[in-house]
Amino acid sequence: MENEVRESVDAAKSPKTFNIVDFVKNRAYPKDEVSVYLDEGSAYKAARIKDKIDELVKGGVETQDEIDLLVIQREKVLAELNESKYLFKLTGISEGQRDELVAKASKKFPLEYTEDKNPFSGETKKVEIENKERDRYFTVLTWEACIEKVVNPAGEEQADLTFEDVEILRESLPLAAVGAITNGIERLRLSTAIFLMEVDNEDFLAKP
């Protein structure tokens, strides 16, 4: 009994240890959600109605009845638009994972270089040749890694999208939807990095 007590006291007094590798492997990555609307026709209609409402409001003429009618029309169109809303749930990835995706893309499409000669100094340097196929492949890999699941208007979920699923999505989704998802993925990476840097440099959490 006395030995057990002694061991407990010694354990409590000793510095605590942890495994940093286990910690970073299991750390929580930032999450985000992007709403995508597939009914572009309704989106265009809603935007046009809003433009008309703005014009009438700026005109300063007694047109409240017309404005009210347009507001009702717009609400109806927005309800139709909402029926085509798909929610993309995104997750951040580590820089190590991102490096792996870069390496995978570079293995499939090896880097190629050309020589660029400075006309004044005569010096030459290697310049990487742009490869759009490699860039596209890397983007699809990134989407596959960052899209956790997609929720349809009925609330049904699809997780674990394959590379082929993502390829079809990128080919079929409206341009605005592709841009929104791409921006969401990039935002996850940049905003978290900036926030952590500010916290470290400015003692952000200690500020009132």
Side-chain angles (χ1 to χ4, degrees):
M1 181 70 172
E2 187 176 334
N3 288 339
E4 291 176 358
V5 172
R6 182 72 261 164
E7 288 174 3
S8 296
V9 172
D10 290 343
K13 290 168 64 178
S14 66
K16 292 184 178 179
T17 61
F18 72 99
N19 188 312
I20 185 62
V21 174
D22 289 342
F23 177 76
V24 296
K25 279 183 178 178
N26 296 297
R27 72 187 177 91
Y29 290 102
K31 310 283 185 184
D32 201 356
E33 296 181 352
V34 174
S35 296
V36 165
Y37 299 89
L38 302 188
D39 186 355
E40 290 185 285
S42 292
Y44 178 75
K45 252 192 242 181
R48 291 288 295 164
I49 294 172
K50 183 178 183 303
D51 288 342
K52 286 183 181 178
I53 293 173
D54 291 342
E55 287 175 10
L56 290 173
V57 170
K58 287 178 183 176
V61 186
E62 292 297 328
T63 53
Q64 191 57 49
D65 289 343
E66 190 175 354
I67 291 174
D68 290 343
L69 182 61
L70 288 171
V71 168
I72 293 172
Q73 289 178 6
R74 186 168 184 269
E75 287 176 352
K76 183 180 177 182
V77 173
L78 288 175
E80 293 172 359
L81 179 63
N82 209 46
E83 292 176 2
S84 72
K85 175 184 173 181
Y86 286 74
L87 190 63
F88 282 73
K89 297 198 172 188
L90 310 177
T91 181
I93 60 175
S94 69
E95 283 303 300
Q97 286 175 286
R98 188 175 186 277
D99 288 344
E100 287 177 6
L101 300 184
V102 171
K104 191 172 181 179
S106 298
K107 184 177 180 180
K108 187 173 179 65
F109 300 97
L111 298 176
E112 295 180 316
Y113 298 90
T114 184
E115 286 193 347
D116 184 40
K117 187 173 183 180
N118 188 311
F120 302 104
S121 66
E123 294 181 354
T124 60
K125 64 178 180 179
K126 287 201 310 181
V127 178
E128 183 183 328
I129 299 173
E130 182 181 0
N131 189 320
K132 292 183 179 180
E133 280 299 300
R134 183 174 59 245
D135 294 343
R136 186 195 68 81
Y137 185 73
F138 172 72
T139 299
V140 174
L141 288 175
T142 304
W143 276 42
E144 182 187 3
C146 292
I147 298 175
E148 277 194 326
K149 65 178 67 172
V150 183
V151 184
N152 72 9
E156 299 167 337
E157 299 181 350
Q158 179 184 352
D160 302 320
L161 269 67
T162 65
F163 183 91
E164 290 72 23
D165 290 335
V166 174
E167 279 191 309
I168 293 170
L169 276 175
R170 286 181 52 79
E171 291 170 1
S172 308
L173 286 173
L175 184 60
V178 172
I181 296 168
T182 299
N183 289 340
I185 291 171
E186 189 61 19
R187 184 169 61 245
L188 276 175
R189 181 172 175 235
L190 294 179
S191 62
T192 304
I194 292 171
F195 174 74
L196 291 176
M197 185 172 60
E198 288 178 349
V199 168
D200 189 47
N201 292 339
E202 301 178 20
D203 195 17
F204 179 85
L205 297 180
K207 292 181 178 180

